């Protein structure tokens, strides 16, 4: 039988240190990393003069292009490599084109089966009047889901790089928000008051009408994102945060991506295993039709709109 360790022996085990760190009771780096204060010594005048001479010599060597043999060699090698690369690329393209079958030859292989399926069976199998939406959100819904994930990951990376701490954002005054733009521009605000509702309504229409006509989640989301950017440019971030702040952004973006994933997973699973899909297609031409296309268009539209606004806000202000 194993012997029960005493409390003193247990304190020297790895499990004890791990659970202390896990519970937040002990920081493994606190008081464990040796740090010494740095002491700056003022250099002498002779040392400063030597540094200045070395700096000037370095600049002369770096920018002396006339007598720099290595620079001339690298420039020549770069030009030769560029010409050779262009020649090789043109040769590969010409050789590839030479193997293509002649246009109009009746013996050419029939490689348009997929396009024929989209055109002839698209309305019946997807319920979407817009063939493009039916193609990208049903037949190629997995590819579109990957593109939506790219938007999510890109926004996350920008937030990691540019997001400022909440305390810093709170210390910023409204005048800092308008540092490079006119504050309370009457013309811009009047135009925004007229155009923003129209832009938002039109963006919603494009998203909801994507399976019936030109439009969809990507184009409608871009329109709504442009409306948000116009509004924040006219009225500032304080006014925008009354209805679209960081919490709303996170809920909308994550919910849209998860809903797309859940809807798409059901569609992929049933289609890939030959199981009947119970999502009704509805009557083609009606607003509530086309199966999964309408909810996916809404998810994609929210994702695109949030991405556009987040990029603008993060690059300009460092926060949402």
């Amino acid at each position: 039988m194993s012997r029960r360790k005493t409390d003193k022996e247990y304190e020297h085990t790895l499990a004890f240190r791990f659970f202390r760190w896990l519970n937040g009771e002990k920081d493994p780096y606190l008081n464990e990393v040796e740090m010494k204060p740095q002491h700056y010594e003022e250099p002498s005048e002779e040392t400063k003069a030597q540094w200045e001479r070395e700096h000037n010599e370095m600049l002369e060597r770096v920018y002396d292009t006339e007598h720099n043999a290595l620079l001339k060699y690298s420039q020549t090698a770069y030009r030769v490599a560029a010409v050779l690369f262009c020649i090789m690329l043109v040769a590969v393209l010409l050789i590839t084109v030479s193997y293509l079958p002649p246009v109009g030859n009746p013996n050419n292989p029939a490689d348009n089966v997929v396009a024929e399926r989209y055109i002839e069976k698209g309305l019946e199998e997807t319920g979407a009047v817009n063939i493009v939406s039916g193609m990208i959100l049903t037949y190629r819904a997995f590819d579109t889901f990957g593109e939506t994930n790219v938007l999510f990951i890109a926004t996350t990376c920008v937030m990691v790089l540019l997001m400022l701490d909440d305390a810093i954002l709170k210390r910023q005054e409204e005048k800092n928000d308008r540092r490079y733009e006119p504050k309370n521009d009457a013309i811009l605000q009047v135009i925004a008051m007229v155009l923003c509702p129209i832009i938002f309504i039109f963006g919603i229409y494009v998203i909801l009408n994507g399976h019936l006509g030109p439009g969809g989640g990507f184009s409608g989301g871009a329109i709504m994102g442009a409306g948000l950017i116009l509004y924040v440019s006219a009225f500032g971030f304080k006014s925008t945060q009354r209805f679209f702040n960081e919490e709303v952004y996170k809920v909308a973006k994550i919910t849209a991506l998860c809903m797309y994933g859940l809807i798409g997973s059901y569609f992929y699973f049933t289609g890939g295993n030959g199981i009947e899909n119970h999502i009704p297609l509805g009557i083609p031409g009606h607003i509530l039709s086309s199966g999964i296309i309408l909810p996916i268009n809404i998810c994609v539209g929210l994702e695109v709109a949030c991405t556009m606004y987040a990029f603008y806000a993060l690059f300009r202000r460092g926060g949402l």
Side-chain angles (χ1 to χ4, degrees), residues 276-294:
E276 182 182 358
N277 188 351
H278 295 285
I279 300 178
L281 298 179
I283 302 175
H286 288 202
I287 185 68
L288 297 177
S289 63
S290 73
I292 67 170
I293 294 180
L294 178 59

Side-chain angles (χ1 to χ4, degrees), residues 199 202-207 215-225 301 304-305:
I199 293 174
F202 182 64
I204 294 172
Y205 163 78
V206 171
I207 293 174
F218 286 101
S219 52
I223 294 172
M224 294 182 64
V304 174

